Amino acid sequence: MIKKFIDKLLGKSSPGTKGGKPHFGKREEVPASVHRIDPALLDRRAAEVVHTLKAAGYEAYVVGGAVRDLLLGLRPKDFDVATNATPEQVKGLFRRAFIIGKRFRIVHVVHGRGREHEVIEVSTFRAYMDNSAAEQVSGNEKTSKHQLAGMQHAVDASGRVLRDNVWGPQDEDATRRDFTINAMYYDPETQVVVDYHKGIQDAQKKVLRMIGDPATRYREDPVRILRAVRFAAKLSALGFELEAKTAAALLPCQPLLADVPQSRMFDEMLKLLQTGHALATIAQLRKLGLARGIYPLLDVVVERADSPFVNAALADTDRRVGEGKPVAPSFLLACVLWDDVHRGWTQRLERREHPFPALQDAIDDVFQQRIGDVSGRGKLAADMREIWVMQPRFEKRMGSTPFSMVAQPRFRAGFDFMRLRADVGEVDEALAEWWQDFQQADDERRADLMDQAREEQKARQRAAQPVVRRVPRSAAPAAGAVPSEGEADGPVPQAGDGVATDAPRKRRRRRRKPSGAGGGTGEGGAPAAD
């Protein structure tokens, strides 16, 4: 009795418990006439993986977000398969298959090669684990047995799941998933959808509902808080909203995110911003009261999302994802943190520091203050640094600089960054257009563009220099003379007046004296021959 009370107090009760026993939902098989999934939206390679597993005598289904998107009439970008076969059994059925992961092992089945390759992720049905079950199961953690062999608990004091690598039946696998619309299984051969938690009904009602008690599920894995925000942002355009209980538990459970490793939080932040719904994600974070306190760098993004430059970067990222183009975290974060770099660089220049070392020092300070120590920071920092360091070099359009710039591997990212700066008025639009033409031009056109840049620079230098109007000495009025009619009454222009001269000054030619007695000059004033 005391143990049950403590478990309930700590939120360790199983999701959907009935009579003290876990409730894993009722299996419903929904035919194609009801769910109306279009088989043409299914990836052929995912169907082949399901067929191979079923032909070998195993259960296999397309699962998760792919089923949700198929129900909504969308073409999924990724396909996952769930089966009752173990990772070793799955690997043995495919020529190019690799077991990955430590906390939970899955299999990547690879189709194709190079950029055209496709990965189908295959996972084994997992059991729902509570503390009592963990005490009786030795587990399937073959790759992590040294860390978990002596562990007798599935959750810690806060309710976070510690042990989640035990195989189980399909109904338990459905229950340990998060949202009802992500817990459905589709058999492409029979075209039947298996649903345990009324996910199809929630999809029709456009409701995002957590399976079981939301607060308990957030305690099991606090990252589900971010997943809730991400799905709400992704599906908001289709009219989906978080169920009231699912949304109400988000803010009280937010402090749990402090226990999540920083490297994982960084990765989850990138998922929020780089899945094609960055602006919608910002709106959801503000709407749900989560605009601050989730992750320091994410706080900066939300704070600056309304500034023209960062807003343009977020919108551009959404556009590229929607068009199926790649996006890099280094580019988006370089846009978000450019204000810090530019401000620090300007302050150093005002102290008369050398421009290039000043820029490098400003970048180092930003990395230290904003990025911190996260997995992959080295490559990320190197790419961001290249983008920033290129910006002042775009002003140099003569000599070998333009050619060396376009030859750099990160030139396109640096140019896109400068292009965004031009779009918001931070850089002259003509400069962006010049580089746009230069990178695509042939040698002859590039020479013309460099001549154009040279003439523009000369014109700027002439405009910046003060010009003096010189008055011929013979025309200068004598002391005390009164100007005649038609002469200007004002003073003679001096240096710095900015008044242009009417004509260039002529050089006076000195007359050469005769070299000797009797010497004279010939015709035209030339010296006579000796």
Side-chain angles (χ1 to χ4, degrees):
M1 180 65 71
I2 296 177
K3 184 178 184 299
K4 289 182 180 179
F5 174 76
I6 294 175
D7 286 347
K8 184 176 181 180
L9 186 65
L10 293 175
K12 296 181 183 179
S13 58
S14 302
T17 56
K18 284 189 177 181
K21 295 182 180 181
H23 174 58
F24 299 118
K26 181 181 179 181
R27 179 185 176 101
E28 295 183 24
E29 296 187 357
V30 183
S33 60
V34 176
H35 61 66
R36 298 183 182 279
I37 287 178
D38 182 1
L41 297 175
L42 184 68
D43 188 279
R44 171 185 56 82
R45 290 158 291 197
E48 289 176 359
V49 170
V50 171
H51 175 76
T52 301
L53 287 165
K54 292 186 70 175
Y58 301 108
E59 294 180 65
Y61 302 86
V62 174
V63 69
V67 182
R68 175 200 66 222
D69 290 348
L70 290 170
L71 282 170
L72 298 174
L74 306 175
R75 186 179 297 276
K77 294 183 179 179
D78 301 303
F79 286 86
D80 297 336
V81 171
T83 178
N84 61 348
T86 65
E88 289 77 16
Q89 292 168 335
V90 174
K91 186 177 185 299
L93 295 174
F94 299 94
R95 184 171 60 88
R96 297 182 65 207
F98 309 92
I99 298 176
I100 66 169
K102 292 183 178 181
R103 186 169 178 263
F104 178 66
R105 291 177 298 135
I106 58 178
V107 180
H108 279 181
V109 178
V110 183
H111 292 265
R113 295 184 181 276
R115 293 185 177 181
E116 302 301 323
H117 82 285
E118 177 76 15
V119 175
I120 306 299
E121 190 171 284
V122 183
S123 60
T124 305
F125 294 148
R126 273 188 276 182
Y128 177 81
M129 294 293 293
D130 60 12
N131 279 341
S132 60
E135 294 170 357
Q136 303 170 14
V137 178
S138 58
N140 307 110
E141 302 101 341
K142 293 184 178 180
T143 61
S144 54
K145 61 184 179 180
H146 298 297
Q147 294 94 336
L148 300 175
M151 187 179 293
Q152 296 299 314
H153 297 283
V155 296
D156 63 10
S158 68
R160 183 164 61 96
V161 172
L162 301 174
R163 188 172 187 173
D164 194 22
N165 203 19
V166 178
W167 317 141
Q170 186 183 32
D171 60 345
E172 295 190 23
D173 184 76
T175 300
R176 53 153 295 281
R177 295 178 183 272
D178 43 24
F179 294 94
T180 59
I181 62 172
N182 291 340
M184 294 177 285
Y185 304 78
Y186 176 60
D187 185 340
E189 297 190 345
T190 64
Q191 296 189 32
V192 167
V193 171
V194 178
D195 185 7
Y196 288 92
H197 299 282
K198 301 186 183 303
I200 288 183
Q201 294 181 22
D202 286 345
Q204 293 171 343
K205 296 176 183 177
K206 298 184 178 181
V207 171
L208 280 167
R209 179 169 58 89
M210 184 69 69
I211 297 172
D213 176 59
T216 301
R217 304 312 302 277
Y218 295 145
R219 278 190 287 267
E220 289 175 354
D221 185 0
V223 170
R224 285 178 176 146
I225 296 170
L226 303 185
R227 285 172 60 83
V229 174
R230 179 152 53 92
F231 291 136
K234 177 178 180 178
L235 301 175
S236 61
L238 300 176
F240 276 76
E241 291 189 356
L242 287 167
E243 180 229 8
K245 288 178 61 178
T246 302
L250 289 170
L251 192 56
C253 292
Q254 179 183 339
L256 297 171
L257 291 168
D259 296 328
V260 178
Q262 291 295 292
S263 58
R264 190 181 181 198
M265 287 295 297
F266 184 80
D267 292 340
E268 291 296 329
M269 179 198 68
L270 295 182
K271 289 180 183 178
L272 288 175
L273 301 175
Q274 293 194 290
T275 52
H277 312 280
L279 290 174
T281 296
I282 302 299
Q284 285 293 327
L285 288 169
R286 290 171 174 170
K287 176 182 176 181
L288 297 168
L290 302 173
R292 295 195 62 82
I294 288 182
Y295 185 67
L297 191 52
L298 183 59
D299 291 349
V300 178
V301 177
V302 176
E303 178 185 334
R304 299 179 179 177
D306 293 331
S307 68
F309 185 53
V310 175
N311 188 270
L314 293 169
D316 187 64
T317 299
D318 288 349
R319 177 189 61 80
R320 290 183 64 87
V321 173
E323 295 174 356
K325 296 179 180 179
V327 293
S330 56
F331 181 85
L332 180 58
L333 293 181
C335 292
V336 171
L337 299 178
W338 171 242
D339 183 64
D340 293 336
V341 172
H342 191 264
R343 185 167 56 252
W345 186 32
T346 302
Q347 291 171 352
R348 286 169 170 80
L349 291 178
E350 290 173 351
R351 297 196 296 264
R352 299 187 178 278
E353 296 184 22
H354 192 278
F356 185 73
L359 178 57
Q360 296 286 3
D361 289 345
I363 293 172
D364 290 339
D365 284 352
V366 171
F367 284 152
Q368 188 66 31
Q369 295 170 11
R370 298 295 196 187
I371 301 296
D373 185 17
V374 296
S375 177
R377 173 187 164 181
K379 176 66 168 61
L380 180 78
D383 291 345
M384 293 171 67
R385 187 184 296 271
E386 282 192 61
I387 290 172
W388 287 329
V389 169
M390 278 188 207
Q391 300 312 301
R393 296 189 66 194
F394 281 114
E395 302 288 344
K396 302 177 180 180
R397 294 180 289 166
M398 286 176 286
S400 62
T401 299
F403 297 96
S404 62
M405 284 279 284
V406 296
Q408 290 189 27
R410 298 290 298 168
F411 168 78
R412 187 66 200 186
F415 169 77
D416 288 344
F417 189 93
M418 190 263 289
R419 172 82 259 182
L420 279 180
R421 293 175 64 206
D423 289 344
V424 300
E426 188 177 315
V427 172
D428 188 355
E429 182 71 23
L431 182 65
E433 292 177 357
W434 189 94
W435 280 100
Q436 178 72 43
D437 291 343
F438 187 85
Q439 63 183 301
Q440 298 173 346
D442 56 20
D443 291 342
E444 184 177 353
R445 174 60 178 155
R446 285 184 173 182
D448 291 341
L449 287 168
M450 293 182 71
D451 288 341
Q452 172 192 330
R454 192 175 295 109
E455 290 301 320
E456 290 176 0
Q457 184 181 37
K458 290 180 179 178
R460 286 194 299 270
Q461 290 174 347
R462 286 195 297 268
Q465 290 178 353
V467 181
V468 180
R469 170 175 289 177
R470 299 182 183 274
V471 180
R473 185 175 302 175
S474 59
V482 178
S484 62
E485 184 178 354
E487 288 186 56
D489 294 332
V492 176
Q494 302 297 321
D497 289 346
V499 181
T501 58
D502 295 331
R505 181 185 177 188
K506 294 183 179 180
R507 297 180 59 187
R508 292 188 63 186
R509 184 176 180 182
R510 295 183 62 185
R511 299 185 63 184
R512 181 177 297 179
K513 294 181 179 181
S515 58
T521 58
E523 293 182 1
D530 290 338

